[in-house]
Amino acid sequence: MTRVVIIGAGPAGLAAAAAAGRVARVTVIDDNTEAGGQIWRRTRNAWTIEHPGVETKFQARVIAATQADVTIETPDSCERLPFDKLILATGARELFLPFPGWTLPQVTGAGGLQALVKSGLNIQGKSVVVAGTGPLLLAVAAYLKSKGATIPLIAEQAPAARVNRFARSLLSHPGKLWQGARLKARLLGVPYRTDCWVESAEPGMLRLRTPGGSGSQPFDYLAIGYGLWPNTELAQLAGCRLSNGFVEVDAAQRTSIPNIYCAGEPTGIGGVDMALAEGRIAGCHATGQPTPPLPNRAFVQALTTTFALRPEVRAVATADTIVCRCEDVPLSRIQSCQGWREAKLQTRCGMGPCQGRICGPAIQTILGWPHQSIREPVFPARIESLLT
């Protein structure tokens, strides 16, 4: 029986497991305590895999990957799992762009604050400004409002003309139009301002910028996110080819390595529906089952175009703004270097606990330097695990 290992138990990974588990022996690995990923964390939508051919390993972090096996570390063990087919459904993380004040404790990622609330943080009566770019802002604001937060403003950096054009395009996507209408109803009375971005933050007060000037906005929390950044580290470690920052796949979600597939956000930021479709395709093709067709990607392209970052947002960090939070490295020290490798050697930027997952994308966005250093272990690991 074919051995299929799936990394990630979000929508793409679960869809792949449901498809592959019909005919193969499947192991799903995720570093969370339960299935669902960020999208379905602690909700009724979180799937439970109940097929006898599917095994789940939670709180398991993949620290190394080859074209034949993966090495996983759990709280009390480490093991290598061989596979015939590997499906990478590693998702994406929020893109954080440094600005003066972004290290304040009241400033979090948009999805990060949502996760904290889902884990028990009480925001009843708190004033939460939601800022950044993309439809995720609306979903986060609606969720926080449902938990008792006051949302004084949603600040979207994209120009009004692009956002309005995108809204009209939803007429060609009835499902998305319905989702948008439901969000709008839940956010009735919440101001939504385009051409607006966070310039700086001080305790209790934000400085917001528009093309016409700047102004102040009081807040208890700032939930900010400038889109998503694909988690491609494991794919790169296994030797898969990337294109424009995403894992390159064919119509069957197969990467440049024949026995390795990839589905969901690492192949292109497309949302939950696209992730589900790609997961099903990968799970079916990897196990020799009839492969369903891939949905039209026009909506994904529209998202990318509409919410592309404006130059002003890329330039909000000042010389003394901390860019690498793990090692307290300001932008001025990084700018004095000629590239990522020199910055890493001279400043330790990217060498802290996050291993460049926060500062790497930020520096690439601000300075255009690709994060080139991908090696084992992908995450910090115990010494005994490195000896396995």
Side-chain angles (χ1 to χ4, degrees):
M1 182 178 286
T2 302
R3 296 172 299 177
V4 179
V5 170
I6 300 173
I7 311 299
L14 293 174
R22 294 191 291 255
V23 297
R25 192 172 69 208
V26 177
T27 302
V28 180
I29 301 167
D30 197 282
D31 61 358
N32 290 295
T33 57
E34 59 186 356
Q38 179 61 30
I39 297 295
W40 291 337
R41 184 195 303 263
R42 296 183 181 274
T43 72
R44 62 182 178 83
N45 291 320
W47 293 10
T48 301
I49 304 172
E50 297 179 342
H51 193 282
V54 177
E55 175 190 16
T56 56
K57 291 181 179 290
F58 295 118
Q59 291 185 286
R61 178 172 283 180
V62 179
I63 60 174
T66 71
Q67 297 173 17
D69 60 41
V70 295
T71 302
I72 65 171
E73 183 184 77
T74 65
D76 52 15
S77 68
C78 180
E79 63 178 310
R80 287 192 177 185
L81 294 178
F83 58 80
D84 298 310
K85 302 291 175 65
L86 174 67
I87 300 176
L88 299 171
T90 46
R93 57 190 183 271
E94 289 187 272
L95 172 61
F96 300 103
L97 295 182
F99 57 88
W102 78 301
T103 57
L104 289 171
Q106 299 90 353
V107 178
T108 72
L113 184 58
Q114 184 181 35
L116 287 172
V117 174
K118 288 182 178 181
S119 298
L121 177 67
N122 183 7
I123 58 166
Q124 182 76 33
K126 299 295 185 180
S127 175
V128 183
V129 174
V130 180
T133 198
L136 177 64
L137 302 185
L138 301 177
V140 169
Y143 177 80
L144 297 177
K145 185 172 182 285
S146 74
K147 296 301 179 180
T150 299
I151 312 295
L153 176 68
I154 300 173
E156 168 59 62
Q157 62 88 40
R162 290 207 313 245
V163 174
N164 291 336
R165 187 165 55 246
F166 175 76
R168 289 192 297 270
S169 74
L170 294 182
L171 293 172
S172 302
H173 305 276
K176 299 296 183 183
L177 182 62
W178 173 241
Q179 291 176 20
R182 290 178 61 191
L183 280 176
K184 185 176 180 180
R186 293 169 63 189
L187 292 169
L188 192 65
V190 175
Y192 179 81
R193 189 184 305 171
T194 55
D195 287 290
C196 182
W197 61 95
V198 176
E199 188 174 45
S200 64
E202 297 178 356
M205 188 64 66
L206 295 176
R207 195 74 177 169
L208 299 172
R209 189 79 182 179
T210 67
S214 60
S216 299
Q217 172 67 54
F219 76 108
D220 293 318
Y221 287 99
L222 168 63
I224 186 166
Y226 285 104
L228 299 175
W229 195 269
N231 294 325
T232 61
E233 290 83 4
L234 284 177
Q236 291 176 264
L237 197 61
C240 302
R241 187 165 55 242
L242 268 60
S243 177
N244 296 319
F246 296 100
V247 180
E248 187 176 294
V249 294
D250 61 16
Q253 302 302 130
R254 186 169 43 191
T255 71
S256 57
I257 307 300
N259 68 328
I260 299 180
Y261 294 72
C262 191
E265 311 293 30
T267 70
I269 307 301
V272 63
D273 292 337
M274 186 62 69
L276 288 168
E278 291 183 354
R280 282 190 290 268
I281 290 170
C284 287
H285 194 274
T287 53
Q289 301 178 73
T291 305
L294 184 67
N296 189 295
R297 298 189 68 90
F299 179 76
V300 175
Q301 185 56 51
L303 278 176
T304 302
T305 302
T306 301
F307 300 105
L309 295 179
R310 61 196 307 143
E312 299 97 323
V313 169
R314 299 173 186 265
V316 291
T318 60
D320 59 351
T321 300
I322 295 295
V323 174
C324 177
R325 299 177 68 158
C326 297
E327 299 293 332
D328 288 331
V329 183
L331 180 60
S332 58
R333 290 189 63 195
I334 296 171
Q335 288 176 317
S336 66
C337 301
Q338 298 301 309
W340 175 261
R341 180 174 175 79
E342 182 183 341
K344 186 174 181 180
L345 292 173
Q346 297 297 326
T347 71
R348 287 190 54 83
C349 179
M351 297 181 70
C354 87
Q355 293 291 283
R357 282 176 173 77
I358 304 300
C359 60
I363 291 172
Q364 184 168 339
T365 302
I366 296 171
L367 300 177
W369 298 349
H371 189 184
Q372 300 171 335
S373 179
I374 305 296
R375 67 181 79 181
E376 300 178 10
V378 178
F379 294 98
R382 298 188 298 268
I383 293 177
E384 62 180 321
S385 299
L386 301 180
L387 297 175
T388 300

